Every structure is written in C-alpha cells, then in structure tokens.
Amino acid sequence: MKLIIANFKMQLTLHEELTLCTDLKKECVDSKNKIIVCPSFPALLAARTIFEKTEISLGAQTCSEYNKGPYTGQVSALSLAQAGCSYVLAGHSEQRSQSVTSQQVAQQALQITQAGLIPVVCIGESKQHDTFTNLEKELLEQLLPVHEALGKTPFYLAYEPVWAIGTQKTPSIKELTETLAWLKFTTPTAGLLYGGSVTPETSSALQTIALLNGFLVGGASTNLQKFKKILSLIH
Ligand code: PGA
C-alpha cells in the first residue's frame, strides 16, 4: 500500500473540484492505496463531508508559517486541522517560485506538526545538474532548515524535480533510486514520496522503486480516468 496524494493545484473551479471529489469517492474508495486529496481552500469543508466515512483523507496545498495574527490572505495549520485536513503540503516548487524561502517552508512544517497534522515537505532541484554533488548541494539547502525545525518528528518528504513537473519527463529509475537512497540516508525520519509527471504511462516503472512510500500526483489527479489508472498500477 502506498500513499497517493492528489494535488488539484488551481486547475479546477470549486464546482469542478467537488464533482471530482464525489466521483473519486464513488470510483476509488476501494483502492488498496491510501488516497489523500488536496483541493483548494474553499473546497475543503465540502470535500470533508464528501469523504466522511471513507478511507480517503483530506490535505491542503500550503499553510501559513505563523500560527495566528495579522497575515491577510494566509491560512493557519490549526484552521486546516479544524477544516478536516490530516496532511498539508509545504514548499511545493510552485510556492517556492513565488519567493517562499526554505526557512519559511521549515516554519510551515513546524506549524503543521504543532497543529497535529502530517507535513508533506516538497523539495527538488530547479534544473538537471551535471553532477550528483551539485544536486545534493541544492537539495541540502532546502532540507537543512526542515531538519532543524522538525528534529526527529516524522514527516513525508516529496522529491519533485522542478524540471519533471508537468513536463512528461521523469528522472531515470537509476537516478531516482540514487537520489532517494541519499535522501533516506540524510533524513531517516521521513517517508519518501516522488512527484513530477506521475501518469498512467510512468507509474508502472516508478512503482518498482522499493524506497518509495508513495507519490504526489498533479495534473493526472484532475482526470478521473487517469487517476484511477495510476491507482490500479501502484501497489
Ligand atoms: P505533475 O505535478 O504530476 O503535473 O507533474 C506534480 C506536482 O506538481 O506535485
């Protein structure tokens, strides 16, 4: 059984998100994998009702690095807990590209654990590196603040090379295995996920990597048939 996170991003309207959640409930509820759906903030309360009494869990796509205060437009981890979330993503590359720093991501992860939720911290290199040393260096810059903030608290680490997101490109199984082994060594408290062009076409090969505890699915999670296919290929 793997953790499969559906990250709807801002790909759908609220109505489309709730229709998809209803379809997921009908069609994916007996999957052997653990499904976590991350819709937009306005969809959370209604999605919670849809997924009530199912094994499907709810997640949010980000949260504030603060617990409370004058932060217009932000949402606290505690409010997300009260809205029914169990998981929260922190540091997705689409957040980092809007100048959210690794320090802020680490503070978000801390807020998430303090609210009793499970952080899914996303890291990934912005471009393909020539050497493993350069890759390590970029990943470590993102990881060290998280190590400092979370200490030994367990969390999920989603390795998502930015160049693989939404591009139909993935690292080779050999490259991915090497990077994941290094991540497991540096961060033994984390469960490892992979994200970046997880589709029906790439899932069979990706799911052979023993170090992986699951996947973060973006684009393909907003298409019921593709998502169902991915669920059926991963075990
Ligand atoms: P993708 O996105 O599956 O569309 O590549 C993954 C992600 O951004 O988490």
Side-chain angles (χ1 to χ4, degrees):
M1 188 193 79
K2 300 251 164 59
L3 202 75
I4 314 282
I5 304 182
N7 175 13
F8 290 176
K9 307 190 180 187
M10 202 184 74
Q11 303 281 20
L12 305 171
T13 64
L14 175 60
H15 289 161
E16 288 166 344
E17 288 187 297
L18 297 179
T19 303
L20 181 55
C21 287
T22 307
D23 291 344
L24 286 172
K25 175 184 164 168
K26 270 192 238 137
E27 307 230 7
C28 305
V29 78
D30 48 7
S31 166
K32 297 203 169 35
N33 294 301
K34 169 78 193 153
I35 303 170
I36 294 139
V37 175
C38 300
S40 63
F41 289 141
L44 287 172
L45 289 173
R48 170 197 217 169
T49 307
I50 293 169
F51 295 136
E52 220 164 33
K53 300 197 182 92
T54 74
E55 294 296 316
I56 299 176
S57 296
L58 204 55
Q61 299 176 14
T62 186
C63 72
S64 177
E65 71 198 271
Y66 305 107
N67 66 344
K68 173 177 238 200
Y71 304 107
T72 303
Q74 299 203 28
V75 178
S76 72
L78 194 56
S79 292
L80 293 173
Q82 291 176 357
C85 290
S86 308
Y87 298 77
V88 184
L89 307 184
H92 190 283
S93 64
E94 288 151 15
Q95 285 278 314
R96 291 181 190 265
S97 71
Q98 288 168 26
S99 59
V100 174
T101 66
S102 294
Q103 274 68 27
Q104 288 172 306
V105 172
Q107 288 312 305
Q108 292 173 353
L110 186 61
Q111 289 295 330
I112 297 164
T113 57
Q114 286 176 348
L117 307 180
I118 300 171
V120 179
V121 176
C122 305
I123 62 163
E125 73 279 15
S126 46
K127 62 172 173 49
Q128 282 177 284
H129 288 288
D130 307 339
T131 65
F132 193 67
T133 315
N134 287 340
L135 170 63
E136 271 180 20
K137 191 166 166 277
E138 189 175 355
L139 295 182
L140 261 188
E141 280 167 12
Q142 298 175 22
L143 259 182
L144 289 177
V146 179
H147 287 175
E148 210 168 294
L150 293 190
K152 292 199 175 358
T153 309
F155 66 105
Y156 282 100
L157 190 59
Y159 172 56
E160 300 203 294
V162 178
W163 55 266
I165 294 178
T167 58
Q168 295 302 316
K169 284 190 230 156
T170 59
S172 71
I173 299 302
K174 184 171 170 289
E175 286 166 337
L176 204 45
T177 305
E178 193 179 13
T179 308
L180 292 166
W182 177 79
L183 288 173
K184 195 74 205 170
F185 174 74
T186 59
T187 318
T189 48
L192 297 180
L193 311 179
Y194 169 77
S197 296
V198 178
T199 62
E201 292 74 33
T202 59
S203 300
S204 305
L206 289 169
Q207 76 99 30
T208 61
I209 303 175
L211 275 169
L212 278 175
N213 300 102
F215 296 91
L216 183 43
V217 187
S221 74
T222 58
N223 177 307
L224 181 67
Q225 295 312 323
K226 285 189 185 173
F227 192 62
K228 270 176 69 177
K229 184 79 189 158
I230 292 171
L231 288 174
S232 72
L233 292 169
I234 292 171
H235 42 83

